[in-house]
Amino acid sequence: MDENMSMDIDMDENVSMDMDMKMRESWILTMVAYHIWLLHRIIKHPTTTVIGVNAISRRFWVHSMMEDAGKNGVLAVQTLRNNIMASTVLASTAIMLSSLIALLMTNSADDKSAFFELGDGSKQAFSIKYFSILVCFMVVFLFNVQSIRCYSHASILINLPFKKMYSDQRHRNLTAEYVATTVNKGGYFWSLGLRGFYFSLPLFLWLFGPIPMILSCFVLVFMLYFLDVNLQLDSAIGLLVEDRDGNECGTELGGLN
C-alpha cells in the first residue's frame, strides 16, 4: 500500500511538472508573438502605435527646442531632467525589489509546497521562479540606467548652437536628428524598463501556480494592446507627418533609429 501511495505521489508530481512546463511555454509564446507584432507595427506603421507617435513627437520637440537654443535651453534641460528623475525612480525601485527577491531566495521557508496546489512545488522549481523574477528586475534596472545615460547626453547636446556652428542647412538637420535620436533612445529604454515591471506580474503569480500565471498573461496582453495601439489613426501627428513636404515619412521619424 505504501508503494501505491508513493507511485500516486510521483504521478501527481509528474502531472504538476508537465502542467507547469506547458503553461510556461504558452506564456512565453504569447508574449513573444505579441511583441513581434508590435515591433513590426512600430517599424512599418509608426503612427498606428503610441510608441511610434511618441517618437515622432519627441523629434518635433527636439527640432523646435534647437531652433532657438538661447530661448528654449532652460525648458529643454528641465524637461530632460524630469525624464531622468522618472528613470531614476524606476531604477531605484527595480534594484530594491531585486534585493528583496534575493533575500527571499536565501531566507525562504523549507516547506513551500503546502501553500501551492498546482504546478511544480519542488525547491528547485521555486529557485528557478525566484531567479526569473530577480533577472527581470535586474534587466529593468539596466534599461533605466541606459535611459538615464541617453537623457544625460541629450541634455548637453540639445543646447548646441548649431546655427552658429554650421551654415549648411543639411548639417544643421543632421545635428538636430542626432540629438532627436539620442532622446528617442532614452524614451525606448524607459519604455522597455517600464514593460519589464509589467512582465514581473506573471512571473510573480507563477509562484502561486501556472494557472494564475497564464491568466495574468492574457489579461496583460489585452491591457498592453490598448496601451500600445493608437486608436486615433487620424491624429494630428499622423496628418503632420503626411504633410511634411513629402521629404520624410513616418518610418523615418518614428522608427527605431
Side-chain angles (χ1 to χ4, degrees), residues 1-15:
M1 186 171 180
D2 292 337
E3 294 180 356
N4 292 332
M5 290 181 62
S6 62
M7 291 178 61
D8 291 338
I9 293 174
D10 292 337
M11 290 180 62
D12 291 339
E13 290 179 353
N14 291 331
V15 170

Side-chain angles (χ1 to χ4, degrees), residues 58 77 79-92 94 138-157 179-195 197:
R58 284 192 292 264
V77 172
T79 303
L80 292 173
R81 192 181 74 170
N82 292 339
N83 285 285
I84 292 174
M85 292 175 63
S87 298
T88 303
V89 170
L90 292 184
S92 301
M138 290 302 298
V139 171
V140 169
F141 172 75
L142 293 177
F143 278 141
N144 282 282
V145 168
Q146 292 300 312
S147 177
I148 294 171
R149 181 183 69 86
C150 292
Y151 284 137
S152 298
H153 291 331
S155 64
I156 297 175
L157 297 174
V179 179
T181 300
T182 304
V183 174
N184 268 337
K185 285 181 180 179
Y188 294 141
F189 280 122
W190 187 84
S191 297
L192 289 172
L194 188 62
R195 199 158 294 254
F197 279 106

Side-chain angles (χ1 to χ4, degrees), residues 34-46 48-49:
Y34 172 77
H35 284 89
I36 289 176
W37 171 83
L38 178 62
L39 182 62
H40 176 266
R41 299 294 295 180
I42 293 173
I43 295 175
K44 298 297 183 180
H45 309 284
T48 62
T49 64

